[in-house]
Amino acid sequence: MGGVGKTAILRHVYISLLDFLPSYVFWIAVPQDFSVYALQEEIANAVGLDNLSNEKDAKRRAGLLYGHLNAKKACILILDGLWKPFEVKDVGIPVETGKLKLIVTTRSPDVCRMMLCQKQIKIELLDMEDSWRLFLKKLCFAGELPREVEQIARSLLDRCCGLPLGIIEIATRMRGVKKEREWRDMLGNLEESRMELDVFKRLQLSYLNLGDEQVQQCFLHSMLCSGNLLSEADREYLIESFIEEGLLGGSATRQGLYDQGNDILDKIEGAGLLDPEKGHRYLHPLTRDMALHVVRSTTHMVKAYMGLKEIPEEVFWTDRLEKVFLQGNKIEEMPYNVSPNCPKLTRLSLYDNSTLGDIHESFFRHLKGLTVLDLGRTGITKLPDSISQLESLEALLLQSCFALRFIPYVGKLGSLRKLDLKGCESLEEVPEGMEMLANLRYLALDGTEIETLPEGVSGKLVNLQYLAIRKLRAGEEVKLPKVEELHCSVSNVEMFNACVGSLERNSSQRYRLVMGAPENFSLWCGRKTERSLLIDSCDHIAASIDGTSGDGCALLPESVQSLELSGCHEMKRVMEWEWLTTLLPNLKEIITKSCENLEEIIHGPLPSGATWRLTYLEVNCCNNMKRALLTQDMVLHLPFLQEILVKDCKGIEVIMGTVAKMTHFSFPKLMNLGLCNLPELKSICDGTTRCNSLQLISIDNCPKLKGIPLQLPVLDNGLPSPPPSLQEIRINRQTWESLEWDHPLACSTLEHFIKFLD
């Protein structure tokens, strides 16, 4: 990102190199308005090629520059501030000869990738200790800061989050300031984004370099409605928000819009505006502050996460307002005497004001232009009747309003495209007028007390693309021709297969389909995969070929990623090996629970040379499985398996058994192994195995177990060392003390990884 110190660090390196190679090190500041012609001109000026400007043809210029640089014995070319990738041959830089070393600084990891950089060095933000040291150095304060001032100064540093340029600017501005009040004013101005810092101009360059106006608008919107850390779930939330705002277009399908949204977020990350961090994307607070200065304060009211207990006074609700963001506060009510007159207001977000319990009838009276209303995670018990008059409303977002019991008539909301009631656990009925919502694309009713749609409603929702509801009625599956994303349960195999056929016809990339679920089942249960099936109390399943079946088999779509079977008592095997090869290539998870007669997970001859994507295997309460869960020859075909969980199986004696002529095998990616209540389990592996990726081992109530498949590397001094990946072993004390090891010091070597379960 901008301001992290790339140029400063490289300038220091450059000056040091000049002491040794004064005639062979060249610094070029890349023009922001990048072109091959302009870059050639800058390089020629730096290396003393005076006649290049006389040549106008870019290819001949490249040849002249190439020859000049190649004639030098060896040189180092530093390009500072590169925004876009380029082909070195087009410019005339002889990298391939080995004589020239090229160093670039850029904010974009995409530039490094496209330029085929051999080594990339990411400049990290400063930690708190280094930030404080830099701050004091630039502050130039004589003596120690007073305790109260130091506390404020450290809060200022929290806003900078280790960004050197921001730290330097704030320290410079506060030089000579002694009064605590002035320090507190500075902190308040920063926290409420009332101050424009020079560092914003540097950060804004990344925003401007996005180029595409659509990408810029999506970036600004994401800054207004997201937190500092963006998980994959937050990414989905942002794309949904882009759809709600009408920022995505050109596609009639949800998958097309999602592809577009993912491309935009990738571009934002590629521009250095989002920073990858431990599975999340990090948004720097100063980047958000920069974005707030880009959006016009006259059209946007942004007072999110400020601890407000009351809505802003009516004077702030001007007739020029277009968007209001008040999420994450502690607002308690929208009082009767407040009725904002904001005819241009299109979005109002009160999300995550959990204390908000009452919205007066008058509040929405003059908000006729509202298109997106977000009241999710508030404490409201009902919506005012004035909601029924918001005829421009396109998205009504009420997710996780746990106390909500009543929604007024919605029949006049003809523009409504999204109604999100997910997690409204007190809501027992859909609002009246649902059958009038012909434009509705998205309807989420999961996590409510609503079991089914009223009779006849589904046939009227002809444009529905997303549906999440506890149960479908018989026949409804054929009345939803455009549904791409379906989360529901059905009562029988015929409905299940009809839904599978519909999902396959619509090339659905997301679904959660349940057959024969128990009464208390929640669609939110299960592991997080995009395409999952749960089949309860069904004795036969088959991979879907043509989407039809009349023999009582539940059909599995080709796209399924997670398969869970529960209470399938007559089933003896889950699937055939050949299914994984040709018919179910995307399957990653198999979960079996309480299948009394199940004998094996995968049946049939092993196809030669084939591998499968399976990453998770869980077997629970399947007492007819005897001897081994898996065998060595199976393991060879499961190189991506990351987690195995086996519980409450009375017959299993070994997790991985041997076969003839095989004594060694490995699980290259196995990270988690969980074993619980296995009274006959004697061994995890027959023979020798390598599980060099194991991080967590959990063993509970396996009284006959005698060993754990851990190979301990032996150091030069002959002592064993723990596997580098291992993080924790959870085990009963008695079992731990009875384990047998190849090395006499193995037990003591692993002691600090142990967490006893009793």
Side-chain angles (χ1 to χ4, degrees):
M1 66 180 297
V4 79
K6 300 180 294 296
T7 299
I9 292 172
L10 198 55
R11 176 67 71 173
H12 180 77
V13 173
Y14 168 67
I15 292 171
S16 299
L17 288 172
L18 285 177
D19 292 337
F20 301 98
L21 303 166
S23 302
Y24 299 100
V25 185
F26 305 101
W27 180 282
I28 294 94
V30 180
Q32 189 178 336
D33 188 13
F34 178 85
S35 69
V36 167
Y37 190 95
L39 182 58
Q40 289 173 330
E41 202 68 31
E42 292 293 334
I43 295 174
N45 291 337
V47 302
L49 182 57
D50 298 330
N51 62 343
L52 188 70
S53 57
N54 298 329
E55 178 59 64
K56 303 303 179 185
D57 181 78
K59 289 185 177 180
R60 286 197 288 269
R61 285 163 62 90
L64 289 171
L65 193 55
Y66 185 100
H68 183 82
L69 290 171
N70 199 40
K72 296 181 179 294
K73 291 182 179 180
C75 64
I76 300 172
L77 204 62
I78 299 174
L79 304 183
D80 181 49
L82 188 62
W83 289 97
K84 296 179 180 178
F86 65 89
E87 293 291 337
V88 290
K89 63 180 179 59
D90 293 343
V91 175
I93 302 174
V95 172
E96 78 284 354
T97 64
K99 292 182 179 180
L100 181 144
K101 301 295 183 184
L102 181 62
I103 302 174
V104 303
T105 69
T106 179
R107 301 182 186 187
S108 170
D110 287 346
V111 169
C112 296
R113 177 175 54 83
M114 296 294 290
M115 293 286 294
L116 301 176
C117 293
Q118 292 175 311
K119 186 164 181 70
Q120 300 179 30
I121 301 174
K122 181 183 176 184
I123 308 302
E124 302 286 354
L125 297 169
L126 300 179
D127 61 25
M128 183 53 70
E129 184 178 342
D130 287 336
S131 296
W132 183 245
R133 189 179 297 117
L134 176 63
F135 181 80
L136 292 179
K137 179 180 178 181
K138 298 299 180 180
L139 184 65
C140 302
F141 188 85
E144 292 187 4
L145 288 174
R147 186 171 61 84
E148 294 80 5
V149 170
E150 180 178 336
Q151 289 178 346
I152 300 171
R154 289 189 179 275
S155 296
L156 287 169
L157 284 190
D158 288 342
R159 295 292 298 177
C160 295
C161 277
L163 188 67
L165 196 61
I167 294 168
I168 291 170
E169 180 174 352
I170 290 175
T172 303
R173 287 195 179 205
M174 299 309 291
R175 282 178 187 168
V177 177
K178 298 180 180 179
K179 294 181 180 178
E180 180 186 340
R181 174 180 52 79
E182 295 178 76
W183 283 86
R184 200 173 300 283
D185 286 346
M186 167 64 93
L187 178 60
N189 288 334
L190 274 180
E191 289 181 337
E192 297 184 20
S193 302
R194 294 195 301 262
M195 173 178 287
E196 184 167 357
L197 299 173
D198 291 338
V199 69
F200 292 167
K201 297 174 184 177
R202 298 284 292 274
L203 296 174
Q204 194 171 344
L205 292 176
S206 296
Y207 161 75
L208 295 172
N209 197 56
L210 290 171
D212 188 294
E213 184 179 356
Q214 181 192 34
V215 180
Q216 290 177 337
Q217 290 300 313
C218 287
F219 164 72
L220 293 177
H221 182 72
S222 65
M223 298 301 100
L224 299 175
C225 63
S226 62
N228 288 340
L229 281 178
L230 305 180
S231 64
E232 283 304 309
D234 295 321
R235 188 181 180 96
E236 183 177 332
Y237 164 77
L238 283 178
I239 295 174
E240 285 291 338
S241 194
F242 296 161
I243 296 172
E244 295 156 13
E245 287 288 318
L247 295 173
L248 307 180
S251 175
T253 66
R254 278 182 61 79
Q255 188 57 45
L257 294 174
Y258 259 75
D259 290 343
Q260 191 180 150
N262 277 311
D263 287 344
I264 287 173
L265 289 175
D266 287 343
K267 289 177 182 178
I268 293 172
E269 183 180 330
L273 290 164
L274 289 175
D275 191 20
E277 182 179 281
K278 296 180 181 178
H280 293 75
R281 299 296 181 268
Y282 176 67
L283 169 61
H284 197 281
L286 292 182
T287 302
R288 186 195 304 281
D289 290 344
M290 175 273 291
L292 293 180
H293 281 84
V294 172
V295 299
R296 288 181 294 172
S297 60
T298 55
T299 58
H300 289 64
M301 184 199 298
V302 185
K303 295 181 180 293
Y305 301 98
M306 292 175 60
L308 301 181
K309 294 185 177 180
E310 298 178 347
I311 66 166
E313 296 177 9
E314 202 156 357
V315 66
F316 292 103
W317 298 81
T318 70
D319 58 3
R320 291 176 292 179
L321 270 184
E322 296 175 8
K323 300 182 190 299
V324 173
F325 295 88
L326 297 173
Q327 67 267 25
N329 286 300
K330 300 177 182 178
I331 296 170
E332 297 179 358
E333 65 172 342
M334 314 295 262
Y336 72 93
N337 59 340
V338 177
S339 182
N341 186 12
C342 305
K344 296 181 180 179
L345 188 66
T346 59
R347 183 182 185 104
L348 173 60
S349 178
L350 286 158
Y351 179 80
D352 199 19
N353 279 271
S354 59
T355 52
L356 179 60
D358 189 28
I359 302 177
H360 195 267
E361 187 73 31
S362 63
F363 187 80
F364 296 107
R365 186 174 297 154
H366 304 300
L367 303 181
K368 303 297 185 183
L370 208 58
T371 58
V372 181
L373 176 58
D374 189 353
L375 298 172
R377 292 183 63 87
T378 59
I380 56 174
T381 58
K382 63 178 182 178
L383 288 179
D385 289 340
S386 52
I387 289 287
S388 302
Q389 307 303 318
L390 301 179
E391 297 182 14
S392 297
L393 200 62
E394 296 180 7
L396 180 56
L397 312 177
L398 300 166
Q399 184 181 127
S400 300
C401 290
F402 303 119
L404 183 65
R405 296 180 179 276
F406 174 74
I407 300 173
Y409 182 75
V410 296
K412 293 184 179 180
L413 307 183
S415 300
L416 198 66
R417 299 166 65 91
K418 181 172 184 175
L419 179 58
D420 189 352
L421 302 175
K422 179 178 180 179
C424 295
E425 56 188 34
S426 300
L427 193 64
E428 298 179 354
E429 296 179 348
V430 298
E432 291 185 18
M434 283 286 295
E435 69 280 0
M436 306 296 291
L437 303 181
N439 280 315
L440 202 64
R441 265 64 168 179
Y442 183 112
L443 177 59
L445 299 171
D446 46 329
T448 70
E449 288 298 310
I450 301 167
E451 285 211 350
T452 61
L453 287 172
E455 196 78 47
V457 168
S458 62
K460 303 293 180 64
L461 305 180
V462 293
N463 288 302
L464 208 58
Q465 296 176 333
Y466 176 105
L467 176 62
I469 189 169
R470 188 178 298 180
K471 291 181 181 179
L472 280 187
R473 294 176 184 270
E476 284 184 331
E477 70 278 3
V478 299
K479 298 178 182 178
L480 302 167
K482 294 185 179 181
V483 168
E484 299 175 45
E485 189 166 343
L486 182 61
H487 303 259
C488 71
S489 68
V490 295
S491 59
N492 58 58
V493 71
E494 290 76 21
M495 290 182 67
F496 180 87
N497 290 342
C499 288
V500 166
S502 177
L503 293 170
E504 290 190 309
R505 286 190 297 274
N506 292 335
S507 302
S508 299
Q509 295 300 305
R510 294 165 179 246
Y511 52 80
R512 170 74 165 161
L513 185 58
V514 180
M515 185 183 78
E519 288 296 320
N520 59 354
F521 178 78
S522 169
L523 283 175
W524 292 359
C525 293
R527 293 168 56 81
K528 289 289 184 180
T529 52
E530 291 187 338
R531 303 183 291 277
S532 67
L533 303 176
L534 191 160
I535 299 174
D536 185 70
S537 303
C538 178
D539 295 332
H540 304 285
I541 63 173
S544 173
I545 298 174
D546 59 5
T548 60
S549 176
D551 59 2
C553 277
L555 299 178
L556 309 181
E558 180 183 3
S559 61
V560 65
Q561 293 176 322
S562 176
L563 173 64
E564 180 176 346
L565 302 173
S566 174
C568 301
H569 299 309
E570 299 304 316
M571 189 178 292
K572 293 191 175 182
R573 61 95 177 101
V574 175
M575 64 181 55
E576 305 289 336
W577 280 103
E578 64 177 348
W579 296 2
L580 290 171
T581 308
T582 57
L583 301 176
L584 301 173
N586 300 292
L587 191 64
K588 294 182 179 181
E589 301 179 352
I590 296 177
I591 303 167
T592 61
K593 297 180 179 180
S594 302
C595 298
E596 291 181 356
N597 289 309
L598 190 69
E599 296 177 355
E600 55 186 334
I601 302 297
I602 310 173
H603 174 75
L606 291 164
S608 176
T611 59
W612 297 284
R613 292 186 177 186
L614 207 64
T615 61
Y616 180 86
L617 177 61
E618 178 180 341
V619 181
N620 196 337
C621 295
C622 297
N623 291 319
N624 204 40
M625 295 193 71
K626 306 297 184 184
R627 180 58 187 151
L629 176 69
L630 300 171
T631 56
Q632 288 172 316
D633 52 347
M634 293 181 184
V635 170
L636 293 175
H637 299 276
L638 302 172
F640 303 107
L641 197 59
Q642 297 176 7
E643 188 167 357
I644 297 174
L645 176 61
V646 188
K647 296 175 63 178
D648 299 307
C649 296
K650 295 179 181 179
I652 290 180
E653 298 179 16
V654 62
I655 302 301
M656 289 161 274
T658 57
V659 294
K661 298 182 181 180
M662 288 188 66
T663 56
H664 294 79
F665 62 104
S666 68
F667 268 115
K669 295 185 181 295
L670 188 66
M671 294 187 292
N672 296 336
L673 177 63
L675 309 171
C676 181
N677 295 334
L678 306 177
E680 297 302 319
L681 184 69
K682 298 179 179 66
S683 172
I684 294 175
C685 303
D686 282 348
T688 303
T689 184
R690 289 199 307 272
C691 301
N692 295 333
S693 298
L694 266 176
Q695 298 176 2
L696 173 63
I697 301 172
S698 179
I699 301 172
D700 186 15
N701 195 23
C702 301
K704 295 184 179 181
L705 184 65
K706 295 302 179 185
I708 296 178
L710 286 177
Q711 287 190 327
L712 305 184
V714 178
L715 303 176
D716 293 340
N717 59 9
L719 297 177
S721 66
S725 62
L726 188 63
Q727 297 177 4
E728 188 173 73
I729 300 175
R730 302 172 186 170
I731 193 168
N732 304 109
R733 185 182 297 273
Q734 185 175 354
T735 303
W736 172 252
E737 292 173 351
S738 66
L739 293 179
E740 299 171 357
W741 302 93
D742 293 334
H743 197 287
L745 297 178
C747 189
S748 58
T749 300
L750 297 172
E751 275 184 345
H752 64 284
F753 293 98
I754 302 301
K755 181 178 180 181
F756 289 119
L757 297 174
D758 44 15

